[in-house]
Amino acid sequence: MSATDPQSAFTFLSQGALIQEFTVAGLNIVQSFPEAKFYKTHNDVYLGETIGRTTNRVKGAKIENLNGRTYELAVNDGDNPNSLHGGARGWGKQDFEGPQPVNRNGKEGVQFRYLSKDGEEAYPGTVECFVWYTAGMEDGKTVLEVEYQVELVGDECEESVVGVTNHSYFQVNPGAPTTEGTVVTLGTDNYLELDAHQVPTGNITLFPSIPPAGVSFTLGPTEPTIDDCFVIDTAAPTSCPLDTRNLPVHMLAIISHPNTGLHLEIHSTEPAFQFYTGDGLYIPEAETDDGVKIPSRGKRSGIAIEPSRYVNCAGREDWRGMCRLRKGELWGARSVYRAWKE
């Protein structure tokens, strides 16, 4: 899909409705594989995937007091006893219907659809997910808008929990082994304090090792190390609507690199975002059908910026209003990615 500039284009795959290419000035700024098959065999790190039915971690891989019962989820968070990114085979590992060309809000786009059945990864209720990608050029910038919608369409239960985001790893110095030298500006320095198992304690405080919001910092070879949920809206547990698409977008993060002049801004209607410097990232080497070898990629070779609700909102009853989906309701979110080369 083109953004109307021949040097700017996008490629999406039906597996996970994932982003394979995000091309700006002829350069792909997401970590990717050249062939679709590798996303099924070499992608334990969720490259480009649409994450669901929930995002990030669910504490103890358990949801209590939903439909009057407890749901035991897959434990798949390394040494932590949590469920991560929707389970062992979340939506990023599933094949969506699409891409179907559409014109949405006056822009060229594609649509993906996925029907997640009751009991998939132990989540209750059959839900229907739509993902829309639309592309365009604005003031010389390549713009990708991502929109999600989820509805509880089955009659198996009265309520479920939902969270959807994209898990691309961005590299605005394409071809470099790491993101060292990337300049980062975050839209907030509030974050969810974590316990020993990477789950929020409930406290929102200032992140300790970066400058205040709006002040840029540069990624070094090993520091800072970040894998945390930053909070845009500290009142979200009581004020965040289930469908945020009609809210104004807020700047989450801006990243750039002086070697390339590439810039990426990420804005979203979501109240929080995970920022991950990729310190545990490993993408194994691969070989294409015509014998081209793709080298492995290691830690800090990409940055994940994942717009979302609060981590573990599905597992906490006092935060569950952000993600509880009942019959007749829609869960929705919208994010905007703007990229350009100076």
Side-chain angles (χ1 to χ4, degrees):
M1 185 174 72
S2 171
T4 72
D5 182 330
Q7 291 290 296
S8 300
F10 302 92
T11 304
F12 309 102
L13 297 180
S14 59
Q15 180 189 322
L18 65 82
I19 300 173
Q20 183 183 24
E21 292 180 312
F22 186 145
T23 304
V24 182
L27 297 170
N28 183 16
I29 63 169
V30 295
Q31 290 288 7
S32 64
F33 289 109
E35 295 178 0
K37 67 179 183 180
F38 296 123
Y39 288 91
K40 294 187 180 295
T41 59
H42 290 61
N43 194 20
D44 291 340
V45 295
Y46 311 98
L47 290 183
E49 293 181 355
T50 299
I51 301 299
R53 171 178 310 198
T54 56
T55 62
N56 219 302
R57 294 172 171 88
V58 177
K59 182 180 181 178
K62 182 184 299 184
I63 301 174
E64 297 178 331
N65 297 320
L66 186 69
N67 295 304
R69 54 164 291 189
T70 295
Y71 294 89
E72 302 280 351
L73 309 176
V75 177
N76 65 321
D77 187 22
D79 295 332
N80 297 311
N82 309 313
S83 191
L84 179 66
H85 293 331
R89 287 189 56 79
W91 290 358
K93 308 302 181 190
Q94 306 298 331
D95 289 328
F96 284 58
E97 297 175 9
Q100 176 184 335
V102 294
N103 186 291
R104 190 165 182 82
N105 302 320
K107 296 179 181 178
E108 174 192 358
V110 292
Q111 173 186 288
F112 292 89
R113 174 185 176 271
Y114 180 63
L115 191 69
S116 178
K117 297 294 185 66
D118 174 55
E120 181 180 73
E121 288 296 326
Y123 285 95
T126 298
V127 301
E128 181 181 42
C129 173
F130 285 97
V131 180
W132 291 280
Y133 293 109
T134 56
M137 297 293 296
E138 296 177 5
D139 300 323
K141 298 177 180 179
T142 302
V143 180
L144 176 68
E145 185 163 335
V146 185
E147 183 183 346
Y148 303 112
Q149 177 181 294
V150 185
E151 183 177 5
L152 180 61
V153 296
D155 296 322
E156 303 90 356
C157 60
E158 294 299 317
E159 57 185 3
S160 189
V161 288
V162 169
V164 189
T165 192
N166 181 267
H167 205 296
S168 291
Y169 287 91
F170 297 101
Q171 169 59 292
V172 288
N173 189 20
T178 73
T179 57
E180 182 179 358
T182 298
V183 179
V184 178
T185 307
L186 299 183
T188 180
D189 48 4
N190 288 315
Y191 88 112
L192 296 176
E193 180 184 72
L194 299 178
D195 66 16
H197 296 298
Q198 297 295 105
V199 174
T201 63
N203 293 329
I204 298 175
T205 188
L206 296 178
F207 195 82
S209 61
I210 61 172
V215 179
S216 299
F217 60 94
T218 301
L219 299 184
T222 60
E223 297 292 337
T225 298
I226 306 172
D227 187 9
D228 291 275
C229 184
F230 287 81
V231 177
I232 296 291
D233 181 1
T234 58
T238 57
S239 66
C240 180
L242 190 63
D243 187 345
T244 67
R245 286 177 291 177
N246 289 328
L247 297 179
V249 295
H250 297 278
M251 190 275 282
L252 308 186
I254 304 171
I255 61 174
S256 64
H257 204 286
N259 287 358
T260 61
L262 288 170
H263 295 249
L264 173 68
E265 294 180 347
I266 300 178
H267 303 251
S268 183
T269 59
E270 291 290 75
F273 63 98
Q274 189 80 5
F275 187 89
Y276 177 40
T277 48
D279 295 84
L281 183 58
Y282 177 71
I283 306 166
E285 65 180 6
E287 185 174 335
T288 65
D289 290 339
D290 55 4
V292 176
K293 293 188 181 298
I294 306 163
S296 63
R297 285 152 281 179
K299 62 182 182 179
R300 298 177 76 88
S301 58
I303 303 165
I305 304 167
E306 308 154 48
S308 68
R309 313 290 155 97
Y310 288 12
V311 176
N312 193 40
C313 62
R316 286 183 61 130
E317 290 186 67
D318 56 338
W319 289 358
R320 194 172 293 162
M322 289 187 275
C323 67
R324 182 192 286 111
L325 180 64
R326 296 187 172 104
K327 293 284 289 184
E329 298 177 331
L330 293 177
W331 184 99
R334 180 170 58 93
S335 295
V336 181
Y337 302 78
R338 294 187 177 95
W340 70 97
K341 180 178 174 64
E342 286 187 340

